[in-house]
Amino acid sequence: MYSGKKRQTTRKGLIMTDETRQIGFIPMSKNGRRHDKRLLDKVDIIRHIPPEVTIWADTGFQGIDKQHPNTQIPKKGTRKRPLSPEQKQENKIISGIRITVEHAIAGIKRLGCMTQILRNRRPFIDDTGFVE
């Protein structure tokens, strides 16, 4: 679980939200060395998303457009092939929509709900994430 990039033990998880920042799906977290796309393939949630729903993914999910027909991913530029002004404008639109996902992630971190133990005593609620 040691991440050479962060120089510490890390955990990584996927989060799916809607446009109102409500979290729809959080699978179990894995060690931080795994790639985002590999985590997504392991969970295999893409096949449950209907084709009419648009997926707005970040650049860590390159190749997801081959699995789901209605996917929007920002374009990457290189030194030899810089992005055109149209591609830059398209990336701005995508990032403007994706910011709601980043705000949802910030809310999870702010509340600490993924790192702390649930300590309520209500029946039928378990801190492992499964309802009895």
Side-chain angles (χ1 to χ4, degrees):
M1 289 194 222
Y2 183 79
S3 170
K5 180 181 177 186
K6 298 281 187 175
R7 303 281 186 228
Q8 62 184 351
T9 302
T10 57
R11 301 292 291 174
K12 185 181 282 190
L14 297 174
I15 296 174
M16 290 188 157
T17 65
D18 62 359
E19 63 274 358
T20 62
R21 292 192 313 231
Q22 289 187 346
I23 298 168
F25 180 71
I26 301 177
M28 297 294 287
S29 64
K30 301 292 181 185
N31 62 1
R33 293 184 64 159
R34 291 200 185 170
H35 194 273
D36 294 341
K37 178 70 168 62
R38 184 171 291 171
L39 278 175
L40 186 69
D41 291 341
K42 192 89 168 168
V43 174
D44 195 29
I45 191 68
I46 295 296
R47 65 184 175 97
H48 297 290
I49 299 174
E52 58 270 4
V53 174
T54 304
I55 296 176
W56 300 87
D58 64 357
T59 54
F61 296 99
Q62 292 292 326
I64 194 175
D65 49 352
K66 293 173 183 63
Q67 295 175 337
H68 192 273
N70 197 0
T71 304
Q72 296 292 325
I73 301 176
K75 304 289 186 278
K76 286 184 173 181
T78 62
R79 206 177 277 182
K80 290 185 178 180
R81 287 193 199 136
L83 294 176
S84 68
E86 295 84 22
Q87 290 173 327
K88 287 182 182 180
Q89 187 64 29
E90 185 178 327
N91 282 355
K92 272 191 169 186
I93 293 169
I94 292 172
S95 66
I97 293 171
R98 275 201 29 81
I99 195 67
T100 58
V101 176
E102 300 300 330
H103 287 165
I105 293 169
I108 289 172
K109 289 181 178 181
R110 191 170 43 251
L111 293 173
C113 58
M114 294 295 289
T115 57
Q116 298 175 5
I117 297 171
L118 180 65
R119 289 185 170 84
N120 70 10
R121 301 284 187 235
R122 292 183 183 174
F124 307 112
I125 295 180
D126 188 11
D127 65 343
T128 59
F130 299 105
V131 178
E132 295 176 358

PDB file of all heavy atoms in Angstrom, residues 10 83 107:
ATOM      1  N   THR A  10      -1.131   4.999   1.121  1.00  0.00           N
ATOM      2  CA  THR A  10      -2.309   5.725   0.636  1.00  0.00           C
ATOM      3  C   THR A  10      -3.417   4.754   0.286  1.00  0.00           C
ATOM      4  O   THR A  10      -3.190   3.570   0.069  1.00  0.00           O
ATOM      5  CB  THR A  10      -1.966   6.551  -0.613  1.00  0.00           C
ATOM      6  OG1 THR A  10      -1.435   5.681  -1.606  1.00  0.00           O
ATOM      7  CG2 THR A  10      -0.970   7.642  -0.293  1.00  0.00           C
ATOM      8  N   LEU A  83      -3.055  21.747 -27.936  1.00  0.00           N
ATOM      9  CA  LEU A  83      -4.495  21.782 -28.143  1.00  0.00           C
ATOM     10  C   LEU A  83      -4.896  23.005 -28.958  1.00  0.00           C
ATOM     11  O   LEU A  83      -4.347  24.088 -28.802  1.00  0.00           O
ATOM     12  CB  LEU A  83      -5.218  21.812 -26.801  1.00  0.00           C
ATOM     13  CG  LEU A  83      -5.097  20.565 -25.924  1.00  0.00           C
ATOM     14  CD1 LEU A  83      -5.793  20.806 -24.603  1.00  0.00           C
ATOM     15  CD2 LEU A  83      -5.684  19.360 -26.616  1.00  0.00           C
ATOM     16  N   GLY A 107     -16.269  17.566   0.030  1.00  0.00           N
ATOM     17  CA  GLY A 107     -17.220  17.395   1.126  1.00  0.00           C
ATOM     18  C   GLY A 107     -16.978  16.115   1.896  1.00  0.00           C
ATOM     19  O   GLY A 107     -17.077  16.081   3.134  1.00  0.00           O
TER      20      GLY A 107
END
